[in-house]
Amino acid sequence: PAYPQPCSLTGWWENDLGSKMQVFKIGNDGTFSGEYHTAVSSAKKPIQPSPLIGSQHLDEDGQCTFGFTVNWKKFSDSTAVFVGQCFRGDDGKEVLHTSWLLREKVDSEPEGWKATR
């Protein structure tokens, strides 16, 4: 059977809140890196582009799953992980559906319960 053109994560993406990410070249093993430009932050320091690193399944049917980690090291003590799937609509347009977890640094282990959202 003929498979649709696979989704490519390479390039610029923007979400509903105006955050943007750029994914650089995808390696033959599915690994990639890039930068995340968040539009939302509770940090007191000014937002700066943050490095991301991830991995994508290179599925034949094109509807690949992927995950990546963003290190907010330039302006925050938190780390975020995203997981998702890339879909290509009948119109040929690619869309990413993702979920995320954000871990903020806390001062002690008993405070850990409130550190992940």
Side-chain angles (χ1 to χ4, degrees):
Y3 289 108
Q5 186 72 16
C7 274
S8 172
L9 296 181
T10 304
W12 283 96
W13 298 89
E14 184 172 355
N15 72 10
D16 305 2
L17 300 174
S19 296
K20 297 176 182 163
M21 75 169 177
Q22 182 180 18
V23 174
F24 306 140
K25 183 181 177 214
I26 309 286
N28 290 336
D29 60 355
T31 58
F32 62 88
S33 62
E35 278 190 335
Y36 200 96
H37 302 246
T38 188
V40 292
S41 171
S42 59
K44 303 202 176 15
K45 294 181 182 175
I47 293 173
Q48 295 187 51
S50 301
L52 68 84
I53 189 157
S55 183
Q56 140 180 28
H57 272 275
L58 303 173
D59 296 344
E60 286 183 346
D61 67 0
Q63 313 290 12
C64 69
T65 58
F66 61 89
F68 61 89
T69 301
V70 180
N71 183 341
W72 310 108
K73 65 184 180 181
K74 295 181 178 179
F75 66 94
S76 172
D77 290 332
S78 59
T79 301
V81 292
F82 293 74
V83 292
Q85 186 170 349
C86 181
F87 295 94
R88 182 183 290 275
D90 292 337
D91 59 0
K93 188 174 180 183
E94 296 170 331
V95 63
L96 307 181
H97 286 267
T98 61
S99 298
W100 55 267
L101 289 171
L102 179 86
R103 177 67 187 213
E104 295 178 301
K105 186 174 95 174
V106 291
D107 294 328
S108 65
E109 186 178 353
E111 292 180 280
W113 66 270
K114 65 179 181 180
T116 302
R117 49 184 163 125

